[in-house]
Amino acid sequence: MKDAASLRYKMLWLALPIGVSLWRLIEWLMLSLGSSWAYYLGEPFPIFWMFVLLLCTVAMTKNVAEGWLRAGLFVWFAAIYGLLPTQAGSMAAHPDYFLEEAVDRVSNSIWQARQNGNLPAHPIDLQKLLQPNGSLHYRRGLARSVALELRIVSPASGPVTAPAERPGVIHLAVEGPGKRMWISATGLGFARFSEPTLLPDRQGSGAVVIEIKATR
């Protein structure tokens, strides 16, 4: 506990809290500026991370015993994992997973309606039948969530391959009554910060596109 820590020892023990603090402060700045869409459920709590950086700066510039550095790192771990709430949504599923479920619900609704022979042909009636409910935790600026939205393109010769201006949009391309349909969606590509992008296929490459065959 009494041996003074060398500069190399300080760098070794303080690298993790400094790096995490800078990372969280950068995320806080990106959220504040609304520079891109994000998946971030809570608030970054910048005052705490600035305080951690201040303590690390003091430890780097002053004579500190090795034991105090080890004890301080243990207290830091206890604080971020035991006392602070989950701030970045790391314990919750990314909203792109829920968007995948919404896409599956739309696909199943189309299949069931076709099986029962009551799938509407007009886009307005189709919108009323298939529009999913709920919202997803995509965040940008003051917006903390966005509503799920179904957008229908009819007539179409293929799937929608350009992302929407925001995440949480399901695209339904309709070739014609009784003909083929294609479903795609706009999310964040399972990233923390990203511009809107087509929901990727986690089983392969490219975007998720569900093709619904024409009726016989």
Side-chain angles (χ1 to χ4, degrees), residues 114-146:
R114 273 193 168 175
Q115 289 292 106
N116 297 329
N118 57 4
L119 183 67
H122 197 281
I124 294 179
D125 298 325
L126 200 59
Q127 181 88 35
K128 292 179 180 179
L129 175 68
L130 301 176
Q131 173 62 48
N133 297 320
S135 60
L136 299 175
H137 289 290
Y138 296 111
R139 174 172 174 171
R140 185 171 192 175
L142 298 177
R144 295 296 187 270
S145 63
V146 296

PDB file of all heavy atoms in Angstrom, residues 114-146:
ATOM      1  N   ARG A 114     -53.974 -14.155 -47.019  1.00  0.00           N
ATOM      2  CA  ARG A 114     -54.056 -14.814 -48.326  1.00  0.00           C
ATOM      3  C   ARG A 114     -54.645 -16.216 -48.196  1.00  0.00           C
ATOM      4  O   ARG A 114     -55.420 -16.655 -49.042  1.00  0.00           O
ATOM      5  CB  ARG A 114     -52.670 -14.881 -48.962  1.00  0.00           C
ATOM      6  CG  ARG A 114     -52.333 -13.627 -49.761  1.00  0.00           C
ATOM      7  CD  ARG A 114     -51.118 -13.842 -50.637  1.00  0.00           C
ATOM      8  NE  ARG A 114     -50.970 -12.749 -51.586  1.00  0.00           N
ATOM      9  CZ  ARG A 114     -49.953 -12.612 -52.410  1.00  0.00           C
ATOM     10  NH1 ARG A 114     -48.971 -13.512 -52.399  1.00  0.00           N
ATOM     11  NH2 ARG A 114     -49.895 -11.610 -53.261  1.00  0.00           N
ATOM     12  N   GLN A 115     -54.279 -16.913 -47.116  1.00  0.00           N
ATOM     13  CA  GLN A 115     -54.838 -18.238 -46.889  1.00  0.00           C
ATOM     14  C   GLN A 115     -56.356 -18.178 -46.707  1.00  0.00           C
ATOM     15  O   GLN A 115     -57.082 -19.074 -47.151  1.00  0.00           O
ATOM     16  CB  GLN A 115     -54.197 -18.878 -45.653  1.00  0.00           C
ATOM     17  CG  GLN A 115     -52.747 -19.309 -45.841  1.00  0.00           C
ATOM     18  CD  GLN A 115     -52.611 -20.471 -46.814  1.00  0.00           C
ATOM     19  OE1 GLN A 115     -52.179 -20.300 -47.955  1.00  0.00           O
ATOM     20  NE2 GLN A 115     -52.987 -21.655 -46.369  1.00  0.00           N
ATOM     21  N   ASN A 116     -56.822 -17.118 -46.065  1.00  0.00           N
ATOM     22  CA  ASN A 116     -58.255 -16.953 -45.820  1.00  0.00           C
ATOM     23  C   ASN A 116     -58.972 -16.261 -46.976  1.00  0.00           C
ATOM     24  O   ASN A 116     -60.201 -16.102 -46.941  1.00  0.00           O
ATOM     25  CB  ASN A 116     -58.491 -16.163 -44.533  1.00  0.00           C
ATOM     26  CG  ASN A 116     -57.950 -16.883 -43.310  1.00  0.00           C
ATOM     27  OD1 ASN A 116     -57.929 -18.110 -43.268  1.00  0.00           O
ATOM     28  ND2 ASN A 116     -57.509 -16.124 -42.309  1.00  0.00           N
ATOM     29  N   GLY A 117     -58.205 -15.813 -47.981  1.00  0.00           N
ATOM     30  CA  GLY A 117     -58.800 -15.163 -49.142  1.00  0.00           C
ATOM     31  C   GLY A 117     -59.332 -13.766 -48.896  1.00  0.00           C
ATOM     32  O   GLY A 117     -60.203 -13.295 -49.627  1.00  0.00           O
ATOM     33  N   ASN A 118     -58.801 -13.082 -47.869  1.00  0.00           N
ATOM     34  CA  ASN A 118     -59.309 -11.735 -47.571  1.00  0.00           C
ATOM     35  C   ASN A 118     -58.195 -10.693 -47.504  1.00  0.00           C
ATOM     36  O   ASN A 118     -58.276  -9.732 -46.741  1.00  0.00           O
ATOM     37  CB  ASN A 118     -60.093 -11.742 -46.256  1.00  0.00           C
ATOM     38  CG  ASN A 118     -59.271 -12.252 -45.083  1.00  0.00           C
ATOM     39  OD1 ASN A 118     -58.093 -12.529 -45.234  1.00  0.00           O
ATOM     40  ND2 ASN A 118     -59.906 -12.365 -43.921  1.00  0.00           N
ATOM     41  N   LEU A 119     -57.129 -10.898 -48.288  1.00  0.00           N
ATOM     42  CA  LEU A 119     -56.064  -9.897 -48.333  1.00  0.00           C
ATOM     43  C   LEU A 119     -56.506  -8.744 -49.230  1.00  0.00           C
ATOM     44  O   LEU A 119     -56.796  -8.946 -50.418  1.00  0.00           O
ATOM     45  CB  LEU A 119     -54.769 -10.504 -48.873  1.00  0.00           C
ATOM     46  CG  LEU A 119     -53.560  -9.565 -48.906  1.00  0.00           C
ATOM     47  CD1 LEU A 119     -53.127  -9.197 -47.489  1.00  0.00           C
ATOM     48  CD2 LEU A 119     -52.397 -10.194 -49.671  1.00  0.00           C
ATOM     49  N   PRO A 120     -56.576  -7.522 -48.700  1.00  0.00           N
ATOM     50  CA  PRO A 120     -57.039  -6.390 -49.520  1.00  0.00           C
ATOM     51  C   PRO A 120     -56.101  -6.121 -50.697  1.00  0.00           C
ATOM     52  O   PRO A 120     -54.892  -6.340 -50.613  1.00  0.00           O
ATOM     53  CB  PRO A 120     -57.043  -5.213 -48.542  1.00  0.00           C
ATOM     54  CG  PRO A 120     -57.036  -5.828 -47.174  1.00  0.00           C
ATOM     55  CD  PRO A 120     -56.274  -7.116 -47.318  1.00  0.00           C
ATOM     56  N   ALA A 121     -56.664  -5.632 -51.776  1.00  0.00           N
ATOM     57  CA  ALA A 121     -55.871  -5.281 -52.949  1.00  0.00           C
ATOM     58  C   ALA A 121     -55.485  -3.808 -52.947  1.00  0.00           C
ATOM     59  O   ALA A 121     -54.417  -3.439 -53.443  1.00  0.00           O
ATOM     60  CB  ALA A 121     -56.645  -5.619 -54.223  1.00  0.00           C
ATOM     61  N   HIS A 122     -56.329  -2.964 -52.372  1.00  0.00           N
ATOM     62  CA  HIS A 122     -56.048  -1.531 -52.372  1.00  0.00           C
ATOM     63  C   HIS A 122     -55.012  -1.198 -51.290  1.00  0.00           C
ATOM     64  O   HIS A 122     -55.094  -1.696 -50.166  1.00  0.00           O
ATOM     65  CB  HIS A 122     -57.327  -0.739 -52.115  1.00  0.00           C
ATOM     66  CG  HIS A 122     -57.208   0.704 -52.499  1.00  0.00           C
ATOM     67  ND1 HIS A 122     -56.575   1.637 -51.707  1.00  0.00           N
ATOM     68  CD2 HIS A 122     -57.641   1.371 -53.605  1.00  0.00           C
ATOM     69  CE1 HIS A 122     -56.624   2.822 -52.290  1.00  0.00           C
ATOM     70  NE2 HIS A 122     -57.256   2.693 -53.443  1.00  0.00           N
ATOM     71  N   PRO A 123     -54.020  -0.350 -51.598  1.00  0.00           N
ATOM     72  CA  PRO A 123     -52.970  -0.022 -50.631  1.00  0.00           C
ATOM     73  C   PRO A 123     -53.498   0.555 -49.316  1.00  0.00           C
ATOM     74  O   PRO A 123     -52.939   0.279 -48.252  1.00  0.00           O
ATOM     75  CB  PRO A 123     -52.098   0.994 -51.375  1.00  0.00           C
ATOM     76  CG  PRO A 123     -52.306   0.676 -52.822  1.00  0.00           C
ATOM     77  CD  PRO A 123     -53.738   0.239 -52.927  1.00  0.00           C
ATOM     78  N   ILE A 124     -54.569   1.354 -49.366  1.00  0.00           N
ATOM     79  CA  ILE A 124     -55.103   1.942 -48.133  1.00  0.00           C
ATOM     80  C   ILE A 124     -55.653   0.851 -47.213  1.00  0.00           C
ATOM     81  O   ILE A 124     -55.394   0.839 -46.001  1.00  0.00           O
ATOM     82  CB  ILE A 124     -56.191   2.981 -48.459  1.00  0.00           C
ATOM     83  CG1 ILE A 124     -55.570   4.184 -49.195  1.00  0.00           C
ATOM     84  CG2 ILE A 124     -56.882   3.458 -47.168  1.00  0.00           C
ATOM     85  CD1 ILE A 124     -56.571   5.241 -49.584  1.00  0.00           C
ATOM     86  N   ASP A 125     -56.413  -0.079 -47.794  1.00  0.00           N
ATOM     87  CA  ASP A 125     -56.943  -1.179 -46.987  1.00  0.00           C
ATOM     88  C   ASP A 125     -55.825  -2.102 -46.505  1.00  0.00           C
ATOM     89  O   ASP A 125     -55.871  -2.621 -45.377  1.00  0.00           O
ATOM     90  CB  ASP A 125     -57.958  -1.977 -47.811  1.00  0.00           C
ATOM     91  CG  ASP A 125     -59.158  -1.137 -48.223  1.00  0.00           C
ATOM     92  OD1 ASP A 125     -59.554  -0.264 -47.417  1.00  0.00           O
ATOM     93  OD2 ASP A 125     -59.676  -1.336 -49.338  1.00  0.00           O
ATOM     94  N   LEU A 126     -54.825  -2.278 -47.343  1.00  0.00           N
ATOM     95  CA  LEU A 126     -53.682  -3.097 -46.960  1.00  0.00           C
ATOM     96  C   LEU A 126     -52.931  -2.448 -45.795  1.00  0.00           C
ATOM     97  O   LEU A 126     -52.487  -3.136 -44.870  1.00  0.00           O
ATOM     98  CB  LEU A 126     -52.766  -3.265 -48.174  1.00  0.00           C
ATOM     99  CG  LEU A 126     -51.768  -4.428 -48.170  1.00  0.00           C
ATOM    100  CD1 LEU A 126     -52.472  -5.754 -48.038  1.00  0.00           C
ATOM    101  CD2 LEU A 126     -50.927  -4.388 -49.445  1.00  0.00           C
ATOM    102  N   GLN A 127     -52.812  -1.124 -45.831  1.00  0.00           N
ATOM    103  CA  GLN A 127     -52.150  -0.390 -44.755  1.00  0.00           C
ATOM    104  C   GLN A 127     -52.892  -0.578 -43.431  1.00  0.00           C
ATOM    105  O   GLN A 127     -52.286  -0.812 -42.389  1.00  0.00           O
ATOM    106  CB  GLN A 127     -52.093   1.102 -45.104  1.00  0.00           C
ATOM    107  CG  GLN A 127     -51.401   1.977 -44.073  1.00  0.00           C
ATOM    108  CD  GLN A 127     -49.918   2.077 -44.300  1.00  0.00           C
ATOM    109  OE1 GLN A 127     -49.475   2.087 -45.435  1.00  0.00           O
ATOM    110  NE2 GLN A 127     -49.141   2.149 -43.234  1.00  0.00           N
ATOM    111  N   LYS A 128     -54.222  -0.475 -43.480  1.00  0.00           N
ATOM    112  CA  LYS A 128     -55.022  -0.633 -42.265  1.00  0.00           C
ATOM    113  C   LYS A 128     -54.870  -2.027 -41.663  1.00  0.00           C
ATOM    114  O   LYS A 128     -54.823  -2.190 -40.438  1.00  0.00           O
ATOM    115  CB  LYS A 128     -56.496  -0.355 -42.570  1.00  0.00           C
ATOM    116  CG  LYS A 128     -56.811   1.094 -42.909  1.00  0.00           C
ATOM    117  CD  LYS A 128     -58.286   1.270 -43.213  1.00  0.00           C
ATOM    118  CE  LYS A 128     -58.612   2.718 -43.560  1.00  0.00           C
ATOM    119  NZ  LYS A 128     -60.065   2.900 -43.891  1.00  0.00           N
ATOM    120  N   LEU A 129     -54.774  -3.030 -42.509  1.00  0.00           N
ATOM    121  CA  LEU A 129     -54.672  -4.403 -42.026  1.00  0.00           C
ATOM    122  C   LEU A 129     -53.299  -4.708 -41.443  1.00  0.00           C
ATOM    123  O   LEU A 129     -53.196  -5.391 -40.414  1.00  0.00           O
ATOM    124  CB  LEU A 129     -54.971  -5.379 -43.174  1.00  0.00           C
ATOM    125  CG  LEU A 129     -54.777  -6.866 -42.850  1.00  0.00           C
ATOM    126  CD1 LEU A 129     -55.820  -7.326 -41.835  1.00  0.00           C
ATOM    127  CD2 LEU A 129     -54.855  -7.707 -44.130  1.00  0.00           C
ATOM    128  N   LEU A 130     -52.248  -4.194 -42.070  1.00  0.00           N
ATOM    129  CA  LEU A 130     -50.899  -4.638 -41.739  1.00  0.00           C
ATOM    130  C   LEU A 130     -50.104  -3.689 -40.860  1.00  0.00           C
ATOM    131  O   LEU A 130     -49.048  -4.089 -40.351  1.00  0.00           O
ATOM    132  CB  LEU A 130     -50.110  -4.877 -43.039  1.00  0.00           C
ATOM    133  CG  LEU A 130     -50.694  -5.908 -44.006  1.00  0.00           C
ATOM    134  CD1 LEU A 130     -49.861  -5.962 -45.280  1.00  0.00           C
ATOM    135  CD2 LEU A 130     -50.762  -7.280 -43.356  1.00  0.00           C
ATOM    136  N   GLN A 131     -50.576  -2.455 -40.669  1.00  0.00           N
ATOM    137  CA  GLN A 131     -49.805  -1.491 -39.893  1.00  0.00           C
ATOM    138  C   GLN A 131     -49.509  -2.013 -38.484  1.00  0.00           C
ATOM    139  O   GLN A 131     -50.420  -2.257 -37.704  1.00  0.00           O
ATOM    140  CB  GLN A 131     -50.555  -0.158 -39.789  1.00  0.00           C
ATOM    141  CG  GLN A 131     -49.913   0.870 -38.870  1.00  0.00           C
ATOM    142  CD  GLN A 131     -48.523   1.280 -39.320  1.00  0.00           C
ATOM    143  OE1 GLN A 131     -48.302   1.594 -40.477  1.00  0.00           O
ATOM    144  NE2 GLN A 131     -47.579   1.288 -38.399  1.00  0.00           N
ATOM    145  N   PRO A 132     -48.214  -2.221 -38.127  1.00  0.00           N
ATOM    146  CA  PRO A 132     -47.882  -2.720 -36.780  1.00  0.00           C
ATOM    147  C   PRO A 132     -48.012  -1.619 -35.737  1.00  0.00           C
ATOM    148  O   PRO A 132     -47.831  -0.432 -36.033  1.00  0.00           O
ATOM    149  CB  PRO A 132     -46.437  -3.187 -36.930  1.00  0.00           C
ATOM    150  CG  PRO A 132     -45.887  -2.340 -38.031  1.00  0.00           C
ATOM    151  CD  PRO A 132     -47.027  -2.067 -38.977  1.00  0.00           C
ATOM    152  N   ASN A 133     -48.320  -2.024 -34.513  1.00  0.00           N
ATOM    153  CA  ASN A 133     -48.428  -1.081 -33.407  1.00  0.00           C
ATOM    154  C   ASN A 133     -47.118  -1.041 -32.627  1.00  0.00           C
ATOM    155  O   ASN A 133     -46.298  -1.951 -32.705  1.00  0.00           O
ATOM    156  CB  ASN A 133     -49.572  -1.489 -32.470  1.00  0.00           C
ATOM    157  CG  ASN A 133     -50.924  -1.451 -33.154  1.00  0.00           C
ATOM    158  OD1 ASN A 133     -51.198  -0.544 -33.942  1.00  0.00           O
ATOM    159  ND2 ASN A 133     -51.765  -2.428 -32.871  1.00  0.00           N
ATOM    160  N   GLY A 134     -46.970   0.018 -31.853  1.00  0.00           N
ATOM    161  CA  GLY A 134     -45.817   0.115 -30.970  1.00  0.00           C
ATOM    162  C   GLY A 134     -44.750   1.068 -31.461  1.00  0.00           C
ATOM    163  O   GLY A 134     -44.856   1.665 -32.541  1.00  0.00           O
ATOM    164  N   SER A 135     -43.729   1.227 -30.647  1.00  0.00           N
ATOM    165  CA  SER A 135     -42.602   2.097 -30.965  1.00  0.00           C
ATOM    166  C   SER A 135     -41.305   1.398 -30.583  1.00  0.00           C
ATOM    167  O   SER A 135     -41.301   0.430 -29.814  1.00  0.00           O
ATOM    168  CB  SER A 135     -42.719   3.436 -30.223  1.00  0.00           C
ATOM    169  OG  SER A 135     -42.739   3.223 -28.818  1.00  0.00           O
ATOM    170  N   LEU A 136     -40.206   1.886 -31.125  1.00  0.00           N
ATOM    171  CA  LEU A 136     -38.890   1.298 -30.878  1.00  0.00           C
ATOM    172  C   LEU A 136     -37.942   2.376 -30.349  1.00  0.00           C
ATOM    173  O   LEU A 136     -38.061   3.548 -30.690  1.00  0.00           O
ATOM    174  CB  LEU A 136     -38.328   0.687 -32.165  1.00  0.00           C
ATOM    175  CG  LEU A 136     -39.161  -0.438 -32.782  1.00  0.00           C
ATOM    176  CD1 LEU A 136     -38.553  -0.875 -34.106  1.00  0.00           C
ATOM    177  CD2 LEU A 136     -39.268  -1.620 -31.840  1.00  0.00           C
ATOM    178  N   HIS A 137     -36.968   1.954 -29.532  1.00  0.00           N
ATOM    179  CA  HIS A 137     -36.077   2.899 -28.863  1.00  0.00           C
ATOM    180  C   HIS A 137     -34.906   3.314 -29.751  1.00  0.00           C
ATOM    181  O   HIS A 137     -33.735   3.144 -29.388  1.00  0.00           O
ATOM    182  CB  HIS A 137     -35.564   2.311 -27.558  1.00  0.00           C
ATOM    183  CG  HIS A 137     -36.604   2.213 -26.490  1.00  0.00           C
ATOM    184  ND1 HIS A 137     -37.142   3.308 -25.857  1.00  0.00           N
ATOM    185  CD2 HIS A 137     -37.235   1.131 -25.963  1.00  0.00           C
ATOM    186  CE1 HIS A 137     -38.040   2.921 -24.985  1.00  0.00           C
ATOM    187  NE2 HIS A 137     -38.120   1.605 -25.027  1.00  0.00           N
ATOM    188  N   TYR A 138     -35.229   3.876 -30.900  1.00  0.00           N
ATOM    189  CA  TYR A 138     -34.222   4.563 -31.706  1.00  0.00           C
ATOM    190  C   TYR A 138     -34.209   6.019 -31.247  1.00  0.00           C
ATOM    191  O   TYR A 138     -35.262   6.623 -31.056  1.00  0.00           O
ATOM    192  CB  TYR A 138     -34.559   4.494 -33.190  1.00  0.00           C
ATOM    193  CG  TYR A 138     -34.567   3.096 -33.769  1.00  0.00           C
ATOM    194  CD1 TYR A 138     -35.759   2.504 -34.165  1.00  0.00           C
ATOM    195  CD2 TYR A 138     -33.389   2.381 -33.932  1.00  0.00           C
ATOM    196  CE1 TYR A 138     -35.774   1.228 -34.723  1.00  0.00           C
ATOM    197  CE2 TYR A 138     -33.392   1.108 -34.479  1.00  0.00           C
ATOM    198  CZ  TYR A 138     -34.590   0.543 -34.866  1.00  0.00           C
ATOM    199  OH  TYR A 138     -34.588  -0.721 -35.414  1.00  0.00           O
ATOM    200  N   ARG A 139     -33.038   6.577 -31.106  1.00  0.00           N
ATOM    201  CA  ARG A 139     -32.926   7.892 -30.475  1.00  0.00           C
ATOM    202  C   ARG A 139     -32.107   8.847 -31.335  1.00  0.00           C
ATOM    203  O   ARG A 139     -31.094   8.464 -31.916  1.00  0.00           O
ATOM    204  CB  ARG A 139     -32.263   7.725 -29.097  1.00  0.00           C
ATOM    205  CG  ARG A 139     -31.956   9.013 -28.379  1.00  0.00           C
ATOM    206  CD  ARG A 139     -31.491   8.709 -26.976  1.00  0.00           C
ATOM    207  NE  ARG A 139     -31.046   9.911 -26.295  1.00  0.00           N
ATOM    208  CZ  ARG A 139     -30.750   9.965 -25.004  1.00  0.00           C
ATOM    209  NH1 ARG A 139     -30.847   8.892 -24.262  1.00  0.00           N
ATOM    210  NH2 ARG A 139     -30.350  11.095 -24.465  1.00  0.00           N
ATOM    211  N   ARG A 140     -32.580  10.080 -31.386  1.00  0.00           N
ATOM    212  CA  ARG A 140     -31.804  11.144 -32.029  1.00  0.00           C
ATOM    213  C   ARG A 140     -32.262  12.483 -31.467  1.00  0.00           C
ATOM    214  O   ARG A 140     -33.455  12.799 -31.507  1.00  0.00           O
ATOM    215  CB  ARG A 140     -31.972  11.125 -33.543  1.00  0.00           C
ATOM    216  CG  ARG A 140     -31.068  12.144 -34.246  1.00  0.00           C
ATOM    217  CD  ARG A 140     -31.077  11.967 -35.749  1.00  0.00           C
ATOM    218  NE  ARG A 140     -30.023  12.727 -36.381  1.00  0.00           N
ATOM    219  CZ  ARG A 140     -29.730  12.685 -37.675  1.00  0.00           C
ATOM    220  NH1 ARG A 140     -30.434  11.890 -38.480  1.00  0.00           N
ATOM    221  NH2 ARG A 140     -28.751  13.410 -38.176  1.00  0.00           N
ATOM    222  N   GLY A 141     -31.320  13.260 -30.947  1.00  0.00           N
ATOM    223  CA  GLY A 141     -31.681  14.537 -30.364  1.00  0.00           C
ATOM    224  C   GLY A 141     -32.665  14.373 -29.225  1.00  0.00           C
ATOM    225  O   GLY A 141     -32.458  13.596 -28.297  1.00  0.00           O
ATOM    226  N   LEU A 142     -33.794  15.078 -29.299  1.00  0.00           N
ATOM    227  CA  LEU A 142     -34.816  15.007 -28.267  1.00  0.00           C
ATOM    228  C   LEU A 142     -35.703  13.780 -28.404  1.00  0.00           C
ATOM    229  O   LEU A 142     -36.421  13.434 -27.467  1.00  0.00           O
ATOM    230  CB  LEU A 142     -35.686  16.276 -28.290  1.00  0.00           C
ATOM    231  CG  LEU A 142     -34.951  17.595 -27.997  1.00  0.00           C
ATOM    232  CD1 LEU A 142     -35.913  18.758 -28.128  1.00  0.00           C
ATOM    233  CD2 LEU A 142     -34.296  17.576 -26.616  1.00  0.00           C
ATOM    234  N   ALA A 143     -35.677  13.137 -29.553  1.00  0.00           N
ATOM    235  CA  ALA A 143     -36.515  11.946 -29.778  1.00  0.00           C
ATOM    236  C   ALA A 143     -35.919  10.752 -29.044  1.00  0.00           C
ATOM    237  O   ALA A 143     -34.750  10.417 -29.230  1.00  0.00           O
ATOM    238  CB  ALA A 143     -36.618  11.650 -31.266  1.00  0.00           C
ATOM    239  N   ARG A 144     -36.720  10.114 -28.187  1.00  0.00           N
ATOM    240  CA  ARG A 144     -36.266   8.942 -27.433  1.00  0.00           C
ATOM    241  C   ARG A 144     -36.774   7.644 -28.041  1.00  0.00           C
ATOM    242  O   ARG A 144     -36.305   6.568 -27.696  1.00  0.00           O
ATOM    243  CB  ARG A 144     -36.725   9.049 -25.981  1.00  0.00           C
ATOM    244  CG  ARG A 144     -36.105  10.218 -25.204  1.00  0.00           C
ATOM    245  CD  ARG A 144     -34.610  10.044 -25.092  1.00  0.00           C
ATOM    246  NE  ARG A 144     -33.993  11.045 -24.228  1.00  0.00           N
ATOM    247  CZ  ARG A 144     -33.529  12.211 -24.645  1.00  0.00           C
ATOM    248  NH1 ARG A 144     -33.638  12.536 -25.931  1.00  0.00           N
ATOM    249  NH2 ARG A 144     -32.973  13.048 -23.810  1.00  0.00           N
ATOM    250  N   SER A 145     -37.762   7.724 -28.912  1.00  0.00           N
ATOM    251  CA  SER A 145     -38.294   6.535 -29.577  1.00  0.00           C
ATOM    252  C   SER A 145     -39.042   6.987 -30.828  1.00  0.00           C
ATOM    253  O   SER A 145     -39.386   8.164 -30.967  1.00  0.00           O
ATOM    254  CB  SER A 145     -39.220   5.741 -28.655  1.00  0.00           C
ATOM    255  OG  SER A 145     -40.358   6.511 -28.302  1.00  0.00           O
ATOM    256  N   VAL A 146     -39.289   6.039 -31.718  1.00  0.00           N
ATOM    257  CA  VAL A 146     -40.046   6.332 -32.939  1.00  0.00           C
ATOM    258  C   VAL A 146     -41.096   5.245 -33.115  1.00  0.00           C
ATOM    259  O   VAL A 146     -40.910   4.103 -32.705  1.00  0.00           O
ATOM    260  CB  VAL A 146     -39.130   6.393 -34.187  1.00  0.00           C
ATOM    261  CG1 VAL A 146     -38.151   7.538 -34.088  1.00  0.00           C
ATOM    262  CG2 VAL A 146     -38.381   5.075 -34.374  1.00  0.00           C
TER     263      VAL A 146
END
